[in-house]
Amino acid sequence: QQPVQSPQAVILREGEDAVINCSSSKALYSVHWYRQKHGEAPVFLMILLKGGEQKGHEKISASFNEKKQQSSLYLTASQLSYSGTYFCGTVGSGNTGKLIFGQGTTLQVKP
Amino acid sequence: EPEVTQTPSHQVTQMGQEVILRCVPISNHLYFYWYRQILGQKVEFLVSFYNNEISEKSEIFDDQFSVERPDGSNFTLKIRSTKLEDSAMYFCASQSYGYTFGSGTRLTVV
């Protein structure tokens, strides 16, 4: 079952914050976050394992609520380089390693 | 930083022809995957490969598709008889923690 991301698109000014949500109908083992720039491969940002942890990567952090099967990606003080499409990917509770990607959230940061 | 390498970067083929997409995963990774992305759409799982065999495949991965790791380094995806709807970007990935994706092969079936 494909996770659902919201919003579908975000437009920000440099320095503004954004939150991207990812929700699954199935029990999860882990959630991954990736960023893809146009014409390039997705790039791994972070992985969150069940346990409700929050992780950070520069000014990008994420949380995982295992009970609600939801994850959120937080982008603070956005920079132009943050523009791209953000995908969450979920691994089911069986932990087969197979990653199912959400439909993506397009983020555009303007000067 | 270690990379996943894919060749060719772009392939144009006639409908019905066979294509082989090649990937060199990161050497100490054990799990390998093929995904595809139709232009502007989501990244779709095709197949996972572990210990020299398929561990899981999607409904997209029908009898026209096969994967091999012929020599312990290369990891190939073969499409036996291509269809127009096979046109997409195909990504190989290997995993230790997160996935590391290759730069992709853009397959165009005409």
Side-chain angles (χ1 to χ4, degrees), chain A residues 4-56:
Chain A
V4 177
Q5 289 183 232
S6 63
Q8 286 193 325
V10 184
I11 300 175
L12 298 175
R13 293 284 179 194
E14 262 188 302
E16 292 181 339
D17 301 342
V19 180
I20 300 171
N21 300 301
C22 175
S23 181
S24 174
S25 59
K26 293 177 71 173
L28 299 176
Y29 175 79
S30 65
V31 178
H32 296 217
W33 285 96
Y34 293 79
R35 176 170 60 211
Q36 184 179 35
K37 292 189 182 277
H38 184 69
E40 299 180 8
V43 173
F44 174 68
L45 295 176
M46 65 190 77
I47 182 173
L48 299 105
L49 303 175
K50 61 182 180 180
E53 65 180 280
Q54 184 153 352
K55 297 191 73 171

Side-chain angles (χ1 to χ4, degrees), chain B residues 1-13:
Chain B
E1 189 165 330
E3 286 186 343
V4 174
T5 305
Q6 287 187 246
T7 55
S9 56
H10 192 186
Q11 177 140 10
V12 181
T13 189

